[in-house]
Amino acid sequence: MTKTRITAFGLTAAMALMAAGCATTSSSEPATALLQVNSPGDADMSCEQLSAEIGRMDQMMGADMQAAANAEARGSAAAAGAGVAVNAAAYSGALGRVPGLGFAANAAAGHAQAQAQAEAERREENVRRAELRRTSLMGIYQGRDC
């Protein structure tokens, strides 16, 4: 390969990986809303309603644990992608010819990691809240001898 092709390839790879790192953290769904632990109508629920809500909390805990793990993986992938992009740019020589390329790649990775970490923390907080809600509902369920 000629030096021009190597440079173009390295620059293209760097930009593609930076864009991919940013795209992995942008989501079409809105930020996760935090679950309310207690609701005013909890004490008035029937045994069947309590059982259904307890089952929903179990499902929610599983889904949020998986989503938190996925968010953490996206953050790690963004960091790895930025590292590869910077290395490709350095190897091709583009890092020296394009001012701020390394900084841009690192900034994009940092932003992607911060977003992924924030999402993981929201999901983990929802798991804790679902667990508390489930415990509260179980107390009502058992108190009624359901």
Side-chain angles (χ1 to χ4, degrees):
M1 261 191 209
T2 66
K3 188 169 179 132
T4 306
R5 283 187 180 169
I6 291 173
T7 301
F9 173 75
L11 187 58
T12 302
M15 293 303 179
L17 288 171
M18 283 176 20
C22 291
T24 60
T25 58
S26 65
S27 177
S28 59
E29 49 186 77
T32 305
L34 291 177
L35 177 69
Q36 186 177 4
V37 176
N38 294 312
S39 295
D42 287 350
D44 298 330
M45 288 181 158
S46 68
C47 290
E48 293 79 24
Q49 290 172 323
L50 286 167
S51 181
E53 186 68 5
I54 290 167
R56 192 174 78 85
M57 290 302 107
D58 287 338
Q59 289 176 344
M60 186 178 289
M61 285 187 290
D64 279 339
M65 282 191 279
Q66 183 62 47
N70 290 346
E72 289 174 357
R74 281 193 310 271
S76 297
V84 169
V86 170
N87 285 338
Y91 179 73
S92 70
L95 199 59
R97 285 191 289 272
V98 179
L101 182 61
F103 176 75
N106 289 330
H111 180 69
Q113 281 182 300
Q115 281 186 323
Q117 184 62 32
E119 178 66 14
E121 288 171 4
R122 280 191 303 274
R123 294 292 187 151
E124 289 166 357
E125 178 61 23
N126 256 356
V127 169
R128 286 187 287 275
R129 287 173 178 238
E131 198 169 16
L132 288 171
R133 178 159 175 71
R134 184 183 186 286
T135 301
S136 173
L137 293 170
M138 285 295 293
I140 297 169
Y141 187 84
Q142 291 174 346
R144 289 202 180 151
D145 293 325
C146 290

